[in-house]
Structures are given as structure tokens and as C-alpha cells.
Amino acid sequence: MTDALVDAFWARGAAEGWSDVDQAVAAAADVVGKPIVVREESFLAAEPVCGFVATLEHAHLVMISPTASPTFRSFVIGHELGHVLHRHQEHAPQSAYIRDVIPDLPEYKVERALARGLFSNTYEHEAEVFADRLATVIRQHRGRPSAFRGVFG
């Protein structure tokens, strides 16, 4: 099932030629059959994570740290889309342990914070690779050769 979702997402990207991450978010929502809401949250500026995704009954909520960089914003959103499309929320082996150890903190926040610090974590690696591939798709369909020009001049 996961591979079919990811394959459908990349097929749409190739066919539609996305030039920004918001187009990819809309396509991902169509592919998974559930809205994906992206919000910048100021409380994340003080956290050790740049973003996380909470899967709710009727939507996926992607929360990201505020940033002035559109490139960084795109990469963080792409990373979280990777979690959604690979359905990592259905395979959260840490969740039971986290609830036992830190029962008073929101589970989704703690999972993302702990997972983000584990560089050998398969889910985080898969989401990073997904975000990198999405950045490549977007770059290929922009009028300028590099998305970094908007950040570095």
C-alpha cells in the first residue's frame, strides 16, 4: 500500500510539473485521500525539531517552525510529507514506550522530537530522502536553475 501511494505521488509530480511545495502538498492530500494542513507554529522555534506531522481523524496536520527561508520551509514540509506518504504513523514502535516514560507530553510531539535525534532511524532517513527527491522535482520545474538563489542571492 505504501509503495503504491508513493509511486502515485511521484507520477503526479512528473505529470504536473510542480514548481513549489504547496502544489506537492495538494497532490499528496489527493493521493492519501485526506486533507493535509500546513501551519507555522511559533512554539516550535524553541523546540529541537523543525516540524512534525500529527495524523488526526480527518486530516494530517503538518506543523513547522517559522522561517524566512522558502527553501528551508519546502524541505521541512517535504520531509513531513514523506512521513505521511510512507505511512510512518502506522508503524510507530516508539509510541508505547514514550507514553510510559513521558505520559504528560503530547505523544506526536515527543515521537517527532525523539525520532529526529536518531540519525539511524529508518523512518527519518526515508523522510529525508523523500524531501530531497521532492526538492529535485521542484527545482526541475522552476524558471531559475537553483532554488538556493532565493536564499543566498
Side-chain angles (χ1 to χ4, degrees):
M1 175 84 167
T2 296
D3 290 338
L5 290 177
V6 173
D7 290 346
F9 177 79
W10 295 127
R12 281 195 62 171
E16 296 172 11
W18 305 320
S19 60
D20 66 50
V21 75
D22 297 316
Q23 293 169 326
V25 169
D30 286 344
V31 168
V32 299
K34 185 185 277 193
I36 298 174
V37 179
V38 177
R39 291 193 338 213
E40 284 193 5
E41 294 291 345
S42 59
F43 78 88
L44 283 173
E47 296 293 332
V49 294
C50 305
F52 65 90
V53 61
T55 298
L56 309 174
E57 184 178 354
H58 299 293
H60 294 285
L61 177 60
V62 173
M63 297 177 142
I64 62 171
S65 182
T67 180
S69 168
T71 301
F72 184 71
R73 175 185 180 271
S74 293
F75 195 84
V76 173
I77 292 170
H79 175 99
E80 300 308 329
L81 287 180
H83 286 304
V84 170
L85 286 156
H86 283 287
R87 296 201 181 272
H88 291 162
Q89 72 277 9
E90 295 175 3
H91 310 282
Q94 301 176 34
S95 61
Y97 173 73
I98 292 167
R99 279 194 299 270
D100 291 344
V101 175
I102 313 173
D104 58 329
L105 292 177
E107 178 185 336
Y108 60 84
K109 182 176 176 182
V110 176
E111 279 186 37
R112 285 292 158 243
L114 290 178
R116 194 69 174 146
L118 300 171
F119 296 107
S120 62
N121 183 296
T122 301
Y123 300 138
E124 292 303 310
H125 176 75
E126 195 168 43
E128 287 290 300
V129 170
F130 184 96
D132 189 54
R133 183 172 175 187
L134 179 57
T136 300
V137 169
I138 291 170
R139 265 193 315 273
Q140 290 172 340
H141 295 97
R142 285 200 169 156
R144 59 183 188 233
S146 173
F148 286 106
R149 285 192 182 161
V151 178
F152 298 113

